[in-house]
Amino acid sequence: PSKYLISVTNTNNSDVKVNAGYGTTHIDLAAPGQQIYSTVSDSAYMFKSGTSMASPHVAGAIGLMYSGACDTIIELSYTLPDSAARLMRFLVLDAVDTLDQLKSKVHSKGRLNLHKAVLRSTCEYLGQAEQKIKNENIYIFPNPGKEALTLRSNSIINEVLMYNWQGQLIYSNRNSISNE
């Protein structure tokens, strides 16, 4: 058992656990993992089975949950990433479809339900007020391809973070920015 790890077993299209580990102590939930159309070498595709097909469903669900998550969760992921991970784990396990055939096989007693998992991470479900980003006119000039650029906004900018095309933070300036 772990507060952070999510262990997954695989099921077929009838929600029956097939050829994989099980146990209400060490396996958290089930996900589709039988006859999943997937990539293979040489840019080809084929049907594959196993927990290696089921686990990506859960990882993708967590990613999708973060993409639509309440601002509170996003802020938590920056300030206390361990707490955010535990919360997301709880939310995905809380959202499973409980199934009789899985009650004695997995801790959560169920199979991944993507729709319910994504809804669990929203402000509405968590009872949080959504923080709307104001539509501020921010102008970047000259062309960002040049060495220097200027940001101009109709309001005070508290933070500027710039990322390169690989998603790496290349510039950070917090709380010392004027209106131009």
Side-chain angles (χ1 to χ4, degrees):
S2 168
K3 295 186 278 185
Y4 307 100
L5 179 71
I6 300 175
S7 55
V8 183
T9 193
N10 63 314
T11 58
N12 63 19
N13 61 357
S14 298
D15 289 325
V16 174
K17 190 202 77 56
V18 290
N19 302 328
Y22 65 93
T24 58
T25 302
H26 298 291
I27 305 296
D28 294 307
L29 78 160
Q34 187 75 16
Q35 294 297 303
I36 305 298
Y37 200 55
S38 185
T39 57
V40 293
S41 60
D42 296 328
S43 300
Y45 298 89
M46 68 182 291
F47 287 96
K48 298 176 78 175
S49 298
T51 55
S52 293
M53 297 292 103
S55 295
H57 284 90
V58 178
I62 297 287
L64 194 57
M65 290 168 69
Y66 270 109
S67 76
C70 182
D71 293 340
T72 305
I73 293 176
I74 300 304
E75 182 62 31
L76 186 65
S77 71
Y78 288 122
T79 58
L80 297 167
D82 60 326
S83 297
R86 287 196 320 263
L87 175 61
M88 293 304 255
R89 180 183 187 277
F90 169 79
L91 293 173
V92 79
L93 295 178
D94 185 55
V96 300
D97 285 335
T98 304
L99 302 168
D100 287 337
Q101 62 267 37
L102 294 173
K103 285 185 178 179
S104 63
K105 306 282 186 199
V106 297
H107 174 73
S108 66
K109 300 175 179 39
R111 182 220 345 103
L112 173 69
N113 181 315
L114 178 61
H115 180 73
K116 288 188 337 189
V118 170
L119 289 178
R120 296 276 196 286
S121 66
T122 63
C123 291
E124 181 179 64
Y125 180 82
L126 296 171
Q128 299 289 316
E130 188 171 358
Q131 298 172 358
K132 300 273 186 197
I133 297 174
K134 297 176 185 172
N135 185 7
E136 300 175 4
N137 294 323
I138 298 177
Y139 305 97
I140 301 175
F141 58 90
N143 180 340
K146 308 265 184 194
E147 281 189 34
L149 62 101
T150 303
L151 298 176
R152 185 169 290 157
S153 172
N154 295 335
S155 62
I156 296 173
I157 300 172
N158 292 318
E159 179 177 24
V160 173
L161 301 173
M162 290 185 183
Y163 296 86
N164 66 15
W165 65 275
Q166 295 175 315
Q168 298 165 326
L169 182 65
I170 59 171
Y171 177 82
S172 174
N173 192 339
R174 301 170 197 261
N175 300 322
S176 62
I177 303 167
S178 68
N179 280 353
E180 184 172 322

